[in-house]
Amino acid sequence: MSVNVQGRVRSSAAMGLVIRREMALSFRRPDQLLQPLVFFLIVTTLFPLGLSPLMSLLRDMAPGVLWVAALLSSLLALDHLFKSDADDGTLEQMALSGQGLWLIVVGKTFAHWLVSGVALVLVSPLVGAALGMPAHAFGTMMLSLAMGTLTLSWLGAIGAGLTVGLRRGNMLLSLIVLPLAMPLLIFGANATDRAIGGESPAGALYFLAALCVITSTLAPFAATAALRITLE
Amino acid sequence: MSERAPAGLDVDSLHIWRGDRHVLQGVSLSVNPGELLHVWGPNGTGKTTLLRVVCGLLRPEQGTVTWLGHPIDRVRAEYQSAMTFAAHETALKSDLTALENLRYTVGLKRAVSDQKLLDYLAQTGVSGCADLPAKVLSAGQRRRVAMARVLAVNARLWLLDEPYTNLDGNGAKLMANLLENHVKNAGFVVIVAHHELDVAVNIRRLELAS
Amino acid sequence: MWTWFYRLASPPYVYGVAATLTPWLLAGAVVALGYGEGVGLFFAPADYQQGDAFRIIYVHVPAGWISMFCYSTMAIAGAIALIWRIKIGHAVAAAAAPIGASFTLLALVTGSLWGRPMWGTYWVWDPRLTSELILLFLYIGVMSLRSAFEDPARGDRAAALLGLVGGVNIPIIHYSVVWWNSLHQGATVAKFGKPTMALSMLVPLLACFLGFMLFFGAVLCMRLRGEVLNRERQAKWVREAIKT
């Protein structure tokens, strides 16, 4: 091709721009950042009320409760990932920017995790303490949640890409993403559980890391393809 | 293929179905440097659909869109950097200011300083809105910001969908001026509008019928 | 050089082939199932541990197997349609999904019925049953996604992509469920294991497999014809086919 493409913006610069844009948007709309966190706290409050305030019982349930609440609240936030940009036409503009949709998808998803995933990880010790988890398990819990929410962000990007044009996409998003996220729950909750019991969580963490790497490499392509289908 | 080297955008017998509706039934067009193509027709004849196919957002079931003789799928990056599309909606993020809106979309296509972006906003008469969030702008101001983005991208091919919407008398004159300048500088324009264009250049018309 | 391929994939041709195949597949299914289920349910010796309850494997195991086979059929057909833009693939995927979901449900129901005499409860979180349940969720997701789109062409492609993503995930889900189960193995949960089977039990089971496969093929052909007719309802050949 001999077409002159002088002055094309480099991919790394474009990626930085997409990430900065997402950050600017999410800090200008703090309610969208806070709501999933509050949801996370509320769901975990439901369990002591529904089960028993007995700390020993709660401690046994803590990893599962924490992980289920984290998955649900992350999914809640993921619904917005492409929707608002698709609604106001800015996603189209970015898709036609010559940068490739793949880059836009990766930038947006990663930025989303940087804000909402990291916030959730930071809040999690609060929930852990409320459920009677010992402090020595917090490190493992946060590490597993960090990998888990990142993996879920990629899976959720596929779901959000597939449901972006749909009016009632929120429910469908959970319906199609949650079955795919079950391995995360298994390994994440197990790692946390072992850390609480004072055992080595390494095995489960390795599995979780493997899932995170596999998903981070494959899911962006699927999410891009999904978005391309629904953008048409 | 004609004997001349293809110098612009060629669209050959496009067909698009939407469910059971045959929206585009074999539309062909071509635009060359210094030409303005005015697409018009009643509502529901596929004008917007045509534009979305031409800019590559929608893949046609049949037919081809070629840029400088190459199918746009093959030269996607080159085509996209030579082209700019202004959709019917203004595509502004309401939480970002006018300047930020430009920075984050134009910046993906070409490196432009904020100072230059402000110049473009001034050219379309909305430099005063640069630091206002887009949600407080009037519909006409939003349209002008979108037009500033078209200028800032500095593309040869403009694909505009109803760019006159919400513009007042002055705005319409400004728009006509911009179109004239672009066409005279060997740019190409495909414009969808439902009224006569008051532009002092050679206008070709493509009428879509239902 | 691809023309033969596209001709094979043309809707009228597929419609015709499916019509021709249906009675043969159905007849084969009746024979194989008649033998397999008949012998399996009435004549094969009872299991020395499980008694007559084990006979449900003549439905449960083939159903579980078809539920997986059908998912791969759906995913592969969707992938072909997505990559080469061969529309008949979407019709195959759309036809296969409800069949697969039904077989998954059958496997779940028979599994839980088996659980009653074995474990004294209708449901245990056995890894295979759990995987099967997640498979049912995946089927439901694919089917809901397809029907959520107003534009059927987009729904088809979205469902095909989700089917593929699910297909990649199924082994991961399955092995993580197995791993999870091995951690929480309680004393009450007996493993199905891989018993060495007497030939008199195995032969009817294989016949049941064959019968289920043929039955699946027959139902797929029938549903595929319906799908093709619906999708091509504007085409001339459909109007002619309906008239005759």
Side-chain angles (χ1 to χ4, degrees):
Chain A
M1 260 321 293
S2 58
V3 179
N4 191 3
V5 285
Q6 222 178 34
R8 265 267 294 289
V9 177
R10 294 218 327 276
S11 304
S12 53
M15 177 81 84
L17 207 62
V18 173
I19 292 177
R20 284 215 321 270
R21 171 183 184 272
E22 292 302 305
M23 297 285 203
L25 276 171
S26 55
F27 288 116
R28 216 153 286 183
R29 268 292 169 89
D31 52 326
Q32 278 192 8
L33 173 63
L34 288 175
Q35 276 165 8
L37 292 182
V38 175
F39 180 82
F40 180 51
L41 294 176
I42 290 178
V43 169
T44 43
T45 315
L46 294 178
F47 282 88
L49 293 177
L51 292 166
S52 125
L54 211 63
M55 272 302 175
S56 59
L57 180 74
L58 284 178
R59 194 174 304 132
D60 285 348
M61 313 279 292
V65 169
L66 191 109
W67 264 86
V68 169
L71 286 184
L72 293 180
S73 82
S74 308
L75 264 183
L76 200 70
L78 275 164
D79 187 45
H80 299 292
L81 185 58
F82 301 122
K83 190 155 265 171
S84 95
D85 285 354
D87 287 347
D88 60 22
T90 45
L91 190 61
E92 262 175 16
Q93 287 293 329
M94 292 196 282
L96 294 175
S97 65
Q99 289 297 344
L101 196 55
W102 185 85
L103 183 139
I104 310 290
V105 168
V106 170
K108 279 182 72 69
T109 311
F110 186 69
H112 174 270
W113 176 78
L114 268 186
V115 178
S116 66
V118 169
L120 191 125
V121 170
L122 292 178
V123 176
S124 62
L126 218 64
V127 173
L131 294 173
M133 274 175 62
H136 65 82
F138 286 172
T140 305
M141 172 191 73
M142 290 169 81
L143 180 62
S144 68
L145 274 179
M147 293 194 285
T149 47
L150 180 58
T151 315
L152 188 73
S153 292
W154 293 121
L155 292 175
I158 302 176
L162 285 172
T163 56
V164 71
L166 301 174
R167 248 171 284 128
R168 292 176 298 108
N170 200 348
M171 199 64 198
L172 198 55
L173 175 71
S174 312
L175 196 72
I176 62 183
V177 175
L178 279 177
L180 304 177
M182 288 186 187
L184 293 180
L185 177 66
I186 291 173
F187 294 121
N190 183 256
T192 315
D193 192 41
R194 278 168 171 266
I196 293 174
E199 296 168 77
S200 160
L205 285 179
Y206 289 149
F207 275 119
L208 208 53
L211 286 180
C212 189
V213 170
I214 293 172
T215 318
S216 305
T217 36
L218 293 182
F221 295 102
T224 309
L227 209 52
R228 206 159 263 149
I229 288 167
T230 38
L231 267 185
E232 281 202 350
Chain B
M1 278 273 117
S2 58
E3 62 280 2
R4 69 179 169 82
L9 180 75
D10 289 277
V11 172
D12 192 33
S13 47
L14 288 185
H15 287 270
I16 287 271
W17 280 266
R18 269 281 176 252
D20 287 343
R21 260 182 66 228
H22 196 170
V23 186
L24 294 182
Q25 312 186 6
V27 179
S28 298
L29 62 88
S30 78
V31 196
N32 290 307
E35 283 185 349
L36 186 150
L37 182 74
H38 179 191
V39 181
W40 80 330
N43 289 342
T45 48
K47 299 187 294 292
T48 297
T49 308
L50 173 65
L51 218 51
R52 290 171 61 82
V53 174
V54 169
C55 71
L57 281 171
L58 199 61
R59 233 202 280 196
E61 260 119 316
Q62 271 175 42
T64 51
V65 182
T66 51
W67 171 246
L68 308 180
H70 304 274
I72 56 169
D73 275 352
R74 299 267 178 78
V75 290
R76 194 181 280 270
E78 286 83 357
Y79 178 58
Q80 287 182 349
S81 54
M83 167 273 275
T84 181
F85 169 57
H88 183 53
E89 67 266 35
T90 48
L92 299 177
K93 214 73 218 153
S94 51
D95 288 325
L96 297 178
T97 68
L99 181 63
E100 284 171 325
N101 263 299
L102 256 56
R103 191 192 295 152
Y104 291 131
T105 42
V106 177
L108 293 176
K109 280 201 158 183
R110 119 190 151 89
V112 190
S113 68
D114 278 4
Q115 192 50 52
K116 292 283 282 180
L117 290 178
L118 286 172
D119 288 348
Y120 288 116
L121 285 172
Q123 274 186 53
T124 56
V126 280
S127 53
C129 306
D131 291 325
L132 294 178
K135 61 184 160 203
V136 306
L137 301 184
S138 75
Q141 285 170 324
R142 291 170 68 97
R143 184 63 62 186
R144 283 166 184 250
V145 175
M147 209 49 221
R149 179 170 56 209
V150 169
L151 293 176
V153 165
N154 196 23
R156 292 175 68 200
L157 172 62
W158 290 4
L159 304 170
L160 310 176
D161 193 355
E162 303 281 4
Y164 283 92
T165 315
N166 297 323
L167 287 180
D168 56 9
N170 282 332
K173 262 185 218 138
L174 172 79
M175 187 69 222
N177 261 331
L178 295 175
L179 289 174
E180 269 172 39
N181 276 336
H182 186 60
V183 172
K184 280 177 186 152
N185 289 320
F188 329 48
V189 179
V190 178
I191 181 167
V192 169
H194 58 266
H195 57 80
E196 295 291 334
L197 294 179
D198 185 20
V199 184
V201 291
N202 196 13
I203 298 177
R204 292 199 299 135
R205 292 272 282 267
L206 174 72
E207 183 162 359
L208 295 181
S210 43
Chain C
M1 79 175 261
W2 284 92
T3 45
W4 62 270
F5 193 58
Y6 282 98
R7 203 178 65 82
L8 276 183
S10 86
Y13 185 78
V14 170
Y15 182 79
V17 169
T20 328
L21 281 180
T22 309
W24 293 102
L25 290 169
L26 217 49
V30 168
V31 171
L33 282 178
Y35 168 76
E37 300 293 352
V39 172
L41 294 184
F42 299 108
F43 300 111
D47 187 84
Y48 78 100
Q49 270 184 326
Q50 307 184 9
D52 281 332
F54 98 97
R55 293 182 195 277
I56 206 162
I57 65 161
Y58 291 108
V59 181
H60 174 74
V61 178
W65 199 76
I66 297 289
S67 71
M68 293 298 299
F69 180 76
C70 184
Y71 194 95
S72 20
T73 307
M74 182 183 83
I76 292 169
I80 289 173
L82 210 55
I83 297 166
W84 289 289
R85 302 211 144 217
I86 296 172
K87 282 188 185 164
I88 199 75
H90 289 310
V92 174
I99 309 174
S102 313
F103 275 107
T104 315
L105 197 63
L106 182 65
L108 280 170
V109 169
T110 51
S112 80
L113 286 179
W114 193 2
R116 182 67 193 163
M118 290 299 103
W119 304 308
T121 165
Y122 283 113
W123 184 261
V124 285
W125 291 97
D126 170 81
R128 285 183 214 189
L129 283 180
T130 312
S131 295
E132 202 71 23
L133 184 63
I134 298 175
L135 184 65
L136 183 65
F137 294 151
L138 289 176
Y139 271 122
I140 293 173
V142 171
M143 289 192 291
S144 331
L145 187 66
R146 187 191 305 280
S147 60
F149 283 84
E150 275 164 30
D151 174 16
R154 259 195 267 186
D156 277 340
R157 268 175 285 159
L161 186 74
L162 182 63
L164 263 181
V165 172
V168 173
N169 262 281
I170 283 177
I172 300 177
I173 294 174
H174 181 72
Y175 285 109
S176 55
V177 167
V178 169
W179 185 84
W180 156 78
N181 193 261
S182 68
L183 295 173
H184 301 274
Q185 190 78 280
T188 49
V189 182
K191 279 187 100 174
F192 286 146
K194 287 198 185 81
T196 45
M197 227 179 206
L199 206 60
S200 55
M201 291 179 182
L202 188 63
V203 172
L205 183 61
L206 292 177
C208 287
F209 267 126
L210 184 66
F212 266 72
M213 283 290 282
L214 292 170
F215 178 68
F216 166 65
V219 180
L220 184 64
C221 282
M222 289 196 256
R223 286 193 50 88
L224 181 59
R225 292 181 71 205
E227 278 291 331
V228 170
L229 278 189
N230 189 23
R231 280 153 191 263
E232 299 277 311
R233 59 186 176 276
Q234 299 293 322
K236 208 187 285 166
W237 72 267
V238 170
R239 282 180 211 151
E240 280 160 14
I242 290 172
K243 247 180 251 160
T244 52

